[in-house]
Amino acid sequence: MTIDETRMRPVAHATAVGDLSASGAPPASDDAIGVALSGGGVRAALFSLGVLIGLVDADEQRRVSQIASVSGGSIVNAAIAQGCRFGEIDDVDDFRSTAEPIAGGLCRRGAFVFSVSGLLALLRTIATPVLTLSFVAVLVISSIDRSDVPWAWIGVTVLVGLVVAVWLLRGRLQEALYASFLATMPGNSRQLAQLAGSPTTHVIVGTDLVSGAPVYFAPEFVACPMFGWGTPGRLTTARAVYASAAFPVAFPVLRMRRKRFRFRDGGSPPPYPRVMKLTDGGVYNNLGTDWLDELVRQRDEIWAFGNLGLELAPVSQRIVVNAGAASRGFRRVVPFLSVPRTMSVLYDNTVRPRLESMRDLATRGLHGPIVIDISESPYNIARRLAELDPSPGSNGDGGDVRACRDRAVALEQELGRRGEAYWIEFARQTSSTKTKLTRAGLESGARIMLHGYLSAVVVAHVLLGARLPDLKDEGYFLELAGRGRCEQPATSPEEPLD
């Protein structure tokens, strides 16, 4: 195929204006990209991983200065921060050593403590103390007269006590599972601060129920609009992930003392609460874009970034990755379905309007954020971008828009060889995958990663002028998830996913 691979000069984001260095914060970088990864369980994690692989394959990783995430997206964000320095990755082959354990773990085991694979991973972590306690119990029992002991009642009591203990400790157990998952990554860093030094700032976003504001966890800082700026200290990466991915009701809130972070220069006057109560970052904003807004706001602050000496600047281009699930209607809502239905209604009335607003801004010019939505196929993205109006003044600079449209037309023709019906079913299957933390399965996980990958390659090539790589196929992602190409033929969209 003949596609113009000439790089196009990136266009600054609409909110990045002027040099406000007098405020103490650096001006926006002309080339910097900020990526926001949404929530949505394992589906969102795998879709986000596919998008990041696509950006690496398009050779755009060096421009990514910020990766912010909530909920499921934070699982991947933290794993990548621990596994590599994203901005220094050479190519997709170099990135594979990081992507492979993430893909294999999420497809084969998932990240939910009450799944079979999750319990096995957890048991491996706590095997030593459990065996020790069992040995002590055997010694005690063997030393007493067992003839009159009501073993049946003791067994029932122990079982009930165990179930209650697991339920009460489910938050700690889930955090331990996140730690077990992160332990599969290259490197042995457990604390968030040990991940500092990367050219890409990885920000894990939670929600503080006390202040009603987002909390930003990064290797170099912890920030909250109300409390100000502090440092992570000895906070573990797994605990930061739990603070961002503690789905309400399923997991308890995480209580952390505010003073441990030594906040300063808060946006609200004291007194402050002693304890922060953290829950899923998607409760505040499931798109995870607030950190990119905070970068802009800090340029107007008299003490930008709490005077912590952080060299952070607003990004010139935003890529918003959404893998949230569309709502499903119910004829009636029984009690145990009230929580998912509540989240569904919130999604329709908060997340979806934000997405539509960003997409509308993008259609009116090249200055808007780039939206990669799991409900839209890569083919449909190319076809939508091929309809940009190149007339002067309609979408910005006519020449740039014409070049974008030409690249989009070429990609539309290439992807269209599969047929429109294929891509409709492709997007329907990936977007309808359940929001869960249990394993995705090999075929389903590979298809979700492929969707994110192709979408990222399309927008990077068309809108950012990135080079067009040789497109990876489903077999590549099956291998990435742990199955050899020869063991599993590519599935067709008509076949059901796991």
Side-chain angles (χ1 to χ4, degrees):
M1 85 186 137
T2 303
I3 295 181
D4 180 15
E5 297 188 6
T6 304
R7 292 190 67 85
M8 178 181 112
R9 179 178 176 82
V11 183
H13 191 274
T15 57
V17 292
D19 182 350
L20 299 180
S21 57
S23 66
S29 169
D30 289 339
D31 290 331
I33 294 175
V35 180
L37 307 178
S38 81
V42 166
R43 178 190 62 245
L46 289 169
F47 189 71
S48 298
L49 179 61
V51 168
L52 295 175
I53 293 173
L55 291 177
V56 172
D57 210 16
D59 200 26
E60 291 295 299
Q61 70 278 8
R62 293 176 182 85
R63 293 177 55 195
V64 177
S65 65
Q66 308 285 330
I67 301 179
S69 59
V70 299
S71 200
S74 292
I75 299 173
V76 164
N77 194 10
I80 290 175
Q82 183 160 317
C84 68
R85 295 191 172 194
F86 186 76
E88 297 176 355
I89 290 291
D90 291 330
D91 52 33
V92 72
D93 293 329
D94 188 24
F95 189 46
R96 181 161 185 148
S97 62
T98 298
E100 202 163 44
I102 301 175
L106 294 175
C107 289
R108 290 180 175 274
R109 296 182 296 277
F112 185 49
V113 69
F114 293 127
S115 63
V116 173
S117 55
L119 288 173
L120 290 175
L122 183 62
L123 285 175
R124 286 194 294 269
T125 303
I126 62 175
T128 300
V130 168
L131 290 175
T132 301
L133 290 175
S134 300
F135 179 73
V136 172
V138 169
L139 291 178
V140 172
I141 291 173
S142 62
S143 65
I144 63 176
D145 183 8
R146 291 171 287 175
S147 59
D148 297 326
V149 177
W151 294 110
W153 285 107
I154 290 177
V156 171
T157 302
V158 170
L159 180 60
V160 171
L162 182 62
V163 171
V164 171
V166 168
W167 175 254
L168 294 177
L169 296 174
R170 66 192 187 281
R172 291 296 182 93
L173 295 176
Q174 183 66 27
E175 182 182 330
L177 182 61
Y178 287 144
S180 176
F181 176 78
L182 293 173
T184 64
M185 303 305 301
N188 56 0
S189 302
R190 292 183 64 252
Q191 295 179 8
L192 187 61
Q194 294 173 332
L195 305 179
S198 172
T200 303
T201 302
H202 297 265
V203 182
I204 299 170
V205 187
T207 301
D208 177 36
L209 295 179
V210 178
S211 64
V215 180
Y216 308 111
F217 297 97
E220 300 82 4
F221 62 87
V222 174
C224 176
M226 173 181 283
F227 308 136
W229 296 80
T231 54
R234 302 180 64 182
L235 178 72
T236 64
T237 307
R239 177 152 290 195
V241 172
Y242 179 82
S244 178
F247 188 80
V249 180
F251 301 113
V253 298
L254 176 62
R255 298 167 58 92
M256 285 198 282
R257 291 178 63 87
R258 179 185 54 81
K259 287 186 177 180
R260 69 176 294 178
F261 300 118
R262 300 185 178 183
F263 288 116
R264 63 188 186 185
D265 299 326
S268 300
Y272 299 125
R274 295 177 55 191
V275 176
M276 302 165 61
K277 297 183 179 180
L278 298 160
T279 190
D280 197 293
V283 171
Y284 187 84
N285 178 3
N286 200 50
L287 294 177
T289 55
D290 299 283
W291 169 245
L292 304 181
D293 296 331
E294 185 65 30
L295 287 172
V296 178
R297 283 194 294 268
Q298 285 300 311
R299 298 191 308 176
D300 296 324
E301 290 290 332
I302 185 172
W303 299 296
F305 304 109
N307 278 346
L308 292 178
L310 303 174
E311 296 182 0
L312 301 174
V315 297
S316 60
Q317 183 64 67
R318 304 183 182 198
I319 298 178
V320 181
V321 181
N322 176 55
S327 66
R328 299 179 181 179
F330 297 94
R331 290 178 180 269
R332 59 177 182 172
V333 179
V334 294
F336 66 88
L337 289 179
S338 60
V339 173
R341 183 54 181 160
T342 298
M343 302 303 294
S344 180
V345 172
L346 286 173
Y347 179 87
D348 286 345
N349 291 279
T350 57
V351 176
R352 184 55 60 183
R354 289 178 181 175
L355 282 174
E356 295 301 330
S357 176
M358 287 187 286
R359 189 170 291 167
D360 179 65
L361 180 62
T363 59
R364 291 188 277 111
L366 297 178
H367 302 277
I370 297 172
V371 177
I372 299 178
D373 193 341
I374 197 171
S375 65
E376 185 177 30
S377 72
Y379 170 75
N380 195 65
I381 294 175
R383 185 172 64 177
R384 174 169 54 81
L385 295 176
E387 296 174 354
L388 288 172
D389 185 358
S391 59
S394 59
N395 287 282
D397 183 83
D400 285 345
V401 175
R402 189 174 292 107
C404 288
R405 191 185 67 169
D406 292 343
R407 290 192 287 267
V409 168
L411 270 176
E412 179 190 12
Q413 294 173 351
E414 178 68 14
L415 296 174
R417 293 164 60 184
R418 277 281 186 169
E420 184 176 2
Y422 172 92
W423 293 111
I424 291 175
E425 181 64 14
F426 180 91
R428 186 197 67 78
Q429 287 188 356
T430 54
S431 62
S432 62
T433 304
K434 292 181 179 179
T435 303
K436 59 182 183 178
L437 286 175
T438 53
R439 68 183 185 91
L442 294 181
E443 292 81 6
S444 177
R447 185 65 61 83
I448 293 171
M449 287 187 285
L450 177 64
H451 188 169
Y453 164 82
L454 290 175
S455 299
V457 169
V458 169
V459 299
H461 179 65
V462 173
L463 294 176
L464 303 179
R467 70 177 181 85
L468 185 68
D470 294 331
L471 298 180
K472 303 289 188 292
D473 64 355
E474 188 174 343
Y476 173 85
F477 293 98
L478 282 168
E479 293 176 359
L480 201 67
R483 175 176 290 177
R485 185 185 298 269
C486 60
E487 298 176 10
Q488 173 64 30
T491 58
S492 65
E494 288 75 18
E495 296 178 10
L497 298 177
D498 290 352

